[in-house]
Amino acid sequence: MTSSSQPQSRVRAARLEGRGWLNTGGERLDLDSLKGKIVVLDFWTFCCINCLHVLDELRPLEAKYGDALVVIGVHSPKFEHERDPQALAAAVERYGVEHPVLDDPDLKTWDAYAARAWPTLVVLDPEGYAVSTMAGEGHVEALDRIIGDLVAAHTAKGTLDPEGSPYVAAPPAETALRFPGKAIELPGGDVLVTDSARHRLVRLAPDLAHVNGVIGTGGRGRADGATPEFNEPQGLVLLPGDVAARVGYDLVVADTVNHLLRGVRLATGETTTVAGTGRQWRMDNGTDAALGVDLSSPWDLAWFEGKVVVAMAGIHQLWYFDPVAATAGVYAGTTVESLKDGPLDQVWMAQPSGLAVDGERLWIADSETSALRYVEHGQMHTVVGQGLFDFGHLDGPAAEALMQHPLGVAVLPDGRIAVADTYNGALRAYDPAKGEMSTLASGLAEPSDVVVLGGKLIVVESAAHRLHVPDLSEAAVSGQHHRVTRKRTKVAPGRLRLDVLFEPAAGQKLDYTFGSPVQVTVSADPPQLLAEGAGRTDDLSRELVLAEGIEKGVLQVVAQAATCDAEAEHPACHLTRQDWGVPVEVAGDGVSTLKLVLRS
C-alpha cells in the first residue's frame, strides 16, 4: 500500500487504457464520454479483501448520487491468474460489481495515475480533472464530502450531467449454484454449501445434483428469522451436539459481507445473529460480548479447542467465538498483513481463508501469502509459502513448494492435507510425514474448498458453479516461480527517516482517552532489509536503518490514528487506519526521507 495525496492544483486526468471493458454492453469508454459526470476510479484486484470492502463502501454512494456519479473499476492484477479475462468477468459477477470495469492487465492506467496500492481511489470532476487521490479503504465520509461538493459546484456551473449511465448489466446466468464458497457434510450424508453469489445456503443430496433444501431468500440482506437473508456467505461449521442443544442452533455461518456470524437451526432454517454488530472492524471496542464486537469479513470457520475459530480475512487474524458464553475476540494475529510465525499473539497473516482440524492441529490456508500454515500448542508454523509477493505452482519439498492464493483446506483419511489451490486451478496435497507437496488434480475452475464425504474428495469448484468428485492423477508439477513487481522508490543507504503525515478531519481532534492516539508498525520483506526500526511505536515519525548488502525489498507500514468529534456533547469516536507496502531500491541517489499520508 502507499500514501494518499490531495493535488494542490487542477490536474488533467490521464487516458483510460486497457485490454477491454466489462459492464458497458461492449462499448469502450473514454474521458470524453464521461464528461459531465463525477467519476471515481477504483483501482482494485479481485484477490484483495480491502478491495472487496471498497466495493461495498461504494454501493451506498452509487445509490445516493445516481447517474451523476460513475464508478469505474480499473482492474489492476496482482496474481497471474487475475490477468485472465474470463477470471475477471467471473469476479465481476461473483462480487456483484454494478459499474463499468476496465481490464488493465498491463497496468497502463495504473501507472498513468501513479497508483501504488490496492485499493486506490481517484476522483475526477465533470470537466475531466483529477481532484483527489486516496489509498486503502474506509474513505466513505471523505468521498461523500468531495462528491457532494462537486455536485453542488458543477450544478451551479452548469457542467454536471445527472442523467444517463454507461453501466449495462450482464444477463443473469442460470445454474443451480452460483459461485459456491464453502461446504460441509451434514448428518445423514447431505452436503450443505454456501451459494455465495445468491446469498443463501443450499442442501444437496449425496449425489451433489439434487437440491434437498434452501435456507435464505436469495436476496442480499441480513434478516433473521424463518426467512433469513445473507450477504455473500462463506464458511460453515456444525456445533457439537451438546453445544447445539444448549444454544438452540446447530450451525454457524460466516456471513462475510455482513461482517456477522449467524446461527442456523437445520430442521427449520430459523436463523439468528450470534456474533458481530454488522459494522466492519476498525478498532478494538473494549468488549468480548459476541453481539458487541465488530467483525471484518469472516471467511471460514472450524471447531477447535472447544470454540469456533474464525478466519477473519478482513483484518488478517484468527478470532474465536464461544457459543455458550456468547463471547468473541482475537485468537491469533496482530492485523499486520504479512508472514511471521511464533506465539499466536505475535504472528502475522494475510487474509486467512480456509480452516481444517486434525487432532491438535488447526490447518490454515493463508491466501495472500499463498501459504499453508498450522496452529499447535499456542504456536503458528508455516509449511508452504514464502511471503506476500511470491507464488507459483511448484511441487516437491515443502520449503520450495509454491501455491497461488489458496482458499480451502481439508484433512484426508491418510493424514495428508488437501489444499484448494484456487488461482492455480488445482487440488494439492501436503504430506506431513514426508514434508512434501504434490498435485492431485488440475484444470479446475477456482476451487474454493475441499470436503471429504464417505472417503471421497469433493471439490467446491466455485467458478464452475458446482461441487464434484475430481479425477485424481497425482503428480509432481514443476511450474514457474512468480514474484509481484511494482515500481520501486529509490532510498538512500543507511539511515532513512519515516514520516507518517496525519491531520484530523474537520470537526475532529486526536483522542487521548486510551493513551497515545497514534500507532505505527514497521516491518520488511525480507526482514533482513531493516537493521533497526522494525516494530510498533506510538510516534508518527521514526528513524529506520537499512542493512548493508540488501538492495531491494518492501517496507511494510501500518499506521492508525484515533480521533473524536471536537465539540459534540456525546462525541463519536473514529479510527483511521492504513497499510502500505512500499517497494524500495537502495541507491546512492535515493531519498533519505519517506513520507506517507494517513488520510482521515
Side-chain angles (χ1 to χ4, degrees), residues 433-503:
K434 297 180 179 179
E436 294 182 349
M437 192 76 146
S438 61
T439 296
L440 300 180
S442 57
L444 304 174
E446 293 191 7
S448 59
D449 202 12
V450 189
V451 183
V452 179
L453 179 62
K456 296 186 301 184
L457 259 68
I458 295 173
V459 173
V460 180
E461 198 174 359
S462 187
H465 318 293
R466 65 178 183 172
L467 277 66
H468 81 120
V469 180
D471 293 328
L472 301 183
S473 179
E474 187 167 359
V477 172
S478 180
Q480 288 184 300
H481 182 160
H482 299 282
R483 183 167 178 84
V484 177
T485 57
R486 293 178 285 164
K487 288 189 174 180
R488 296 183 180 273
T489 299
K490 286 188 177 182
V491 295
R495 298 189 179 276
L496 176 67
R497 181 175 177 81
L498 171 66
D499 290 330
V500 177
L501 309 178
F502 176 75
E503 288 290 338

Side-chain angles (χ1 to χ4, degrees), residues 53 57 137 222 255-261 273 275-287 289-298 312 315 319 573:
H53 291 164
E57 291 173 351
E137 57 180 292
R222 57 170 291 183
D255 194 4
T256 303
V257 175
N258 276 330
H259 309 297
L260 297 172
L261 301 184
T273 298
T277 63
R279 296 185 301 267
Q280 185 184 337
W281 185 95
R282 297 292 182 200
M283 62 183 299
D284 183 3
N285 59 7
T287 182
L291 291 173
V293 297
D294 298 336
L295 309 181
S296 185
S297 296
M312 201 70 75
I315 47 176
W319 278 42
C573 297

Side-chain angles (χ1 to χ4, degrees), residues 543-568:
E543 190 172 81
L544 311 177
V545 178
L546 303 176
E548 294 182 5
I550 299 180
E551 298 178 352
K552 296 178 180 179
V554 178
L555 290 176
Q556 295 161 301
V557 182
V558 182
Q560 65 183 44
T563 59
C564 61
D565 294 342
E567 304 298 336

Side-chain angles (χ1 to χ4, degrees), residues 385-428:
Q386 299 179 17
L388 281 168
F389 306 105
D390 292 88
F391 59 92
H393 191 167
L394 182 62
D395 288 323
E400 301 170 9
L402 294 169
M403 299 186 290
Q404 186 178 182
H405 198 77
L407 291 178
V409 62
V411 180
L412 301 181
D414 63 6
R416 292 184 299 169
I417 308 303
V419 183
D421 190 1
T422 307
Y423 286 2
N424 279 326
L427 178 63
R428 311 285 293 279

Side-chain angles (χ1 to χ4, degrees), residues 48-92:
C48 165
I49 193 68
N50 310 89
C51 300
L52 303 186
H53 291 164
V54 167
L55 289 177
D56 294 308
E57 291 173 351
L58 291 172
R59 295 184 206 278
L61 295 178
E62 292 176 281
K64 178 177 179 178
Y65 291 104
D67 290 348
L69 170 67
V70 176
V71 175
I72 302 288
V74 183
H75 188 261
S76 313
K78 170 188 173 182
F79 286 103
E80 188 67 20
H81 175 71
E82 293 172 302
R83 294 171 55 86
D84 182 339
Q86 292 183 333
L88 173 57
V92 167

Side-chain angles (χ1 to χ4, degrees), residues 502-505 507-519 538 540 560-566 572-576 598 600:
F502 176 75
E503 288 290 338
Q508 297 179 19
K509 63 181 181 181
L510 289 171
D511 182 4
Y512 289 85
T513 303
F514 300 103
S516 175
V518 298
Q519 188 178 98
D538 294 334
L540 290 175
Q560 65 183 44
T563 59
C564 61
D565 294 342
C573 297
H574 313 272
L575 184 75
T576 302
L598 179 63
S600 60

